[in-house]
Amino acid sequence: MPITPEGPAEATARREAERWLALSSAWREETRPELWADLPPIETAIIPSYDPGPDLRRRMESWGYEPGRLDLADLTRFAAGLARAEAEAWASGLPDIATRAYQERRFLVGDRIVPWAVPWLDTAGRCHPRWRQEAGAGRDELLALADRLRPSPALSGVEGLVLPGHDGFGPLTATEPLPRFLLSLWSGAVVMRATLASLRGELAAVRRIDPAWLAEARFVEDLASLYEVAAGRWRALAASRQGTGRIWLDLAERARGTAARLRA
């Protein structure tokens, strides 16, 4: 229960809702069309191996929220709604509802937003200088919110947290052809159309990796180096962002493994 008419828990949740709404407004398609045209901020575009849509829609509808495209703007707007629901529940003396809203938001952040949206924002800022500042600010705000919610801290071990042969993202053994696997975050990095343009010296009409490119020593080495750099970046992020450290350690190991696979 709050200890004042607008106690600490209620006030904190209301402030958090405002931060989520600001993120949602910043990442609508019409505000960043260039980035959407490259690789849209939707989980199924960035991690095409799994579609969270049915589960997300069920969760949203249980809170009276109308699901949209499940893009970054939609998910952060849902997070804002959950934070607002928590605040209203504290104000109404309903701690069970407030706690449920908090737990639902913690799952949303740790499982359905941060693992792919932070890498997407990080890469978007590196690949598109025009949006570097905005993408960096969005990435840092997501990380700051996740540090408060602590959905995936870097614990001393992972026993019991994931299935054998899996990490926090999914199966560790890649079953897809390498050209397709490299276009998934499960490879350890987000590869945008602009990323490939920098490696190939030209912007392709679509985001794809031609299998013939993987026979070119220079392309393979440049791509492997990109994954090695990404691995170092994720390890540094794990050290500085304790609330999501496990996510970045998993991603660093995936990137390291992909670099080794490319050079094998």
Side-chain angles (χ1 to χ4, degrees), residues 22 24 36 40 54 78 86 131-133 147-148 157 166 179 183 240:
S24 179
W36 274 78
F78 179 42
E86 180 192 344
W131 303 115
R132 181 167 295 145
Q133 183 174 351
D147 273 343
R148 174 178 178 268
H166 291 62
L183 296 181
S240 64

Side-chain angles (χ1 to χ4, degrees), residues 34 43 130 139 178 205 214 258:
E34 181 182 355
E43 183 174 358
R130 178 184 176 190
R139 175 201 60 205
L178 186 56
L214 298 177
T258 298

Side-chain angles (χ1 to χ4, degrees), residues 19-242:
R19 294 170 69 180
W20 285 116
L21 282 174
L23 276 169
S24 179
S25 177
W27 294 101
R28 295 193 304 268
E29 181 176 4
E30 58 268 27
T31 62
R32 306 284 187 266
E34 181 182 355
L35 300 184
W36 274 78
D38 186 327
L39 176 61
I42 301 172
E43 183 174 358
T44 51
I46 296 160
I47 307 178
S49 303
Y50 171 68
D51 181 7
D55 179 62
L56 274 172
R57 291 186 179 90
R58 177 185 60 80
R59 291 173 182 273
M60 289 176 169
E61 288 166 358
S62 73
W63 287 92
Y65 183 92
E66 183 67 30
R69 292 184 296 181
L70 306 182
D71 55 46
L72 181 56
D74 195 24
L75 295 181
T76 48
R77 188 164 60 253
F78 179 42
L82 289 171
R84 190 162 48 231
E86 180 192 344
E88 291 170 356
W90 286 125
S92 301
L94 299 170
D96 55 333
I97 301 299
T99 301
R100 181 185 162 216
Y102 176 86
Q103 291 174 335
E104 187 79 69
R105 192 163 73 259
R106 190 168 181 262
F107 167 83
L108 180 70
V109 170
D111 285 67
R112 299 275 68 91
I113 299 179
V114 163
W116 65 265
V118 165
W120 181 85
L121 287 164
D122 185 77
T123 305
R126 295 172 189 279
C127 290
H128 295 273
R130 178 184 176 190
W131 303 115
R132 181 167 295 145
Q133 183 174 351
E134 290 89 341
R139 175 201 60 205
D140 292 346
E141 178 70 337
L142 277 181
L143 288 166
L145 286 161
D147 273 343
R148 174 178 178 268
L149 295 167
R150 292 183 64 80
S152 188
L155 304 175
S156 59
V158 297
E159 295 81 3
L161 299 178
V162 295
L163 295 171
H166 291 62
D167 63 8
F169 286 87
L172 291 170
T173 302
T175 58
E176 298 176 326
L178 186 56
R180 178 175 169 81
F181 176 69
L182 293 169
L183 296 181
S184 169
L185 178 61
W186 279 10
S187 67
V190 174
V191 176
M192 290 188 157
R193 192 161 59 112
T195 311
L196 296 172
S198 68
L199 294 174
R200 301 294 301 174
E202 58 182 347
L203 185 63
V206 295
R207 176 176 170 264
R208 72 181 186 92
I209 292 178
D210 189 321
W213 299 349
L214 298 177
E216 300 174 7
R218 175 64 182 273
F219 177 78
V220 169
E221 180 56 32
D222 287 349
L223 193 57
S225 296
L226 181 150
Y227 277 97
E228 285 184 335
V229 170
R233 194 159 64 246
W234 304 138
R235 283 192 293 268
L237 199 58
S240 64
R241 295 294 187 171
Q242 295 300 309

